[in-house]
Amino acid sequence: MAAPRARREALVLGNWKMNGDAASAEALLAGVQAGARDLPGVAGVCPPYPYLALAAARLAGSGVAWGAQDVSAFEDGAYTGEVSARMLVDLGCTWTLVGHSERRTLFGDTDAEVVRKTTRALAAGLVPVVCVGETLAEREAGATEAVLARQIDAVCPVLRDAGERCVLAYEPVWAIGTGLTASPAQAQAAHAFIRARLASGGVVAAPGLRLLYGGSVKPSNAVELFGQPDVDGGLIGGASLVAADFLSICRAAAGRS
Ligand code: PEP
């Protein structure tokens, strides 16, 4: 179900994870901001929470958006250590990642938790970037589509009314931070499956939703991955920590046919 590409603008988000310090965040923001001048609307960064205000100060008006790596499932109140969607809006965030595989595997985020976080993000006016993907064992067991279906079906009810204010990221767990990358054909097959599953789950905006691929994207493989009809950009981990590499990936997305 490859919908016409023209409707979907390229998007590349950098997930900095828990790396660096204020000095390296400042340098990275400056590098991205300077290099993305000719890429308005394509690039976004997700720094650690403590550097979101710095991102807001450095990136405002630059055409580079910023967002968070996670959001609380709760609205407000006695939830020590949590950061609410409203707080992220106060920091000028456009996006928040939800259900990144590291949250799912290391911190126990379940499908139900992902739904609650997505609901909070949407209610506050953030664009949720809902991450889905299978483990290596699941792929080898032939369960990739079953896993994606379970993860997508969980969020469909909350995405139905979001229109195009949401993004999905397909991130095969076995490709995150490992140097292994899904082949362009594997990525396309998963993206087409996700788009079709969203549509059959009642998400009528599915043809216009941006689906990002994540998992060891590098300047050397970005062009081929982003050339797939249902791959609308990327969610980039390691390579987003080097401004030149991240920008090169953004250019590959902007130039995709
Ligand atoms: C990620 O963590 O979302 C990711 C895709 O990481 P990497 O690019 O390092 O594989």
Side-chain angles (χ1 to χ4, degrees):
M1 174 189 170
R5 167 84 93 192
R7 295 191 47 212
R8 302 191 302 265
E9 289 175 8
L11 179 65
V12 178
L13 298 179
N15 174 14
W16 295 6
K17 310 195 186 189
M18 196 178 74
N19 287 298
D21 54 19
S24 64
E26 178 89 60
L28 193 45
L29 288 168
V32 172
Q33 189 258 335
R37 287 202 183 100
D38 55 339
L39 295 164
V42 175
V45 294
C46 298
Y49 289 134
Y51 306 131
L52 283 171
L54 191 60
R58 296 292 176 268
L59 299 178
S62 72
V64 178
W66 58 96
Q69 298 172 16
D70 193 25
V71 65
S72 179
F74 300 99
E75 187 174 1
D76 230 345
Y79 301 104
T80 302
E82 291 284 275
V83 176
S84 74
R86 190 146 54 92
M87 293 170 187
L88 298 179
V89 170
D90 282 344
L91 286 162
C93 289
T94 299
W95 326 94
T96 182
L97 306 186
V98 180
H100 188 280
S101 76
E102 286 152 17
R103 300 299 320 174
R104 290 180 190 259
T105 57
L106 301 175
F107 302 100
D109 281 17
T110 60
D111 289 334
E113 188 88 346
V114 170
V115 171
R116 284 192 287 273
K117 291 182 174 188
T118 303
T119 304
R120 288 288 165 224
L122 286 168
L126 294 169
V127 177
V129 179
V130 180
C131 304
V132 297
E134 81 288 359
T135 63
L136 185 58
E138 289 164 341
R139 175 162 283 269
E140 287 176 348
T144 298
E145 291 194 349
V147 171
L148 295 178
R150 193 201 75 224
Q151 294 171 334
I152 295 291
D153 291 355
V155 285
C156 275
V158 289
L159 297 185
R160 277 179 203 141
D161 295 329
E164 293 184 0
R165 280 196 322 110
C166 63
V167 171
L168 278 289
Y170 169 59
E171 298 207 300
V173 179
W174 48 271
I176 297 180
T178 59
L180 297 174
T181 312
S183 69
Q186 286 173 324
Q188 169 56 25
H191 282 227
F193 178 82
I194 290 167
R195 202 180 295 286
R197 193 79 189 184
L198 287 164
S200 65
V203 180
V204 292
L209 293 187
R210 285 173 303 175
L211 306 188
L212 312 184
Y213 169 79
S216 298
V217 179
K218 306 180 260 295
S220 57
N221 59 22
V223 171
E224 229 191 328
L225 284 162
F226 299 159
Q228 302 305 304
D230 281 295
V231 180
D232 304 308
L235 178 53
I236 316 303
S240 74
L241 298 174
V242 178
D245 288 354
F246 181 62
L247 291 163
S248 157
I249 293 168
C250 291
R251 274 186 218 101
R256 77 207 198 288
S257 53

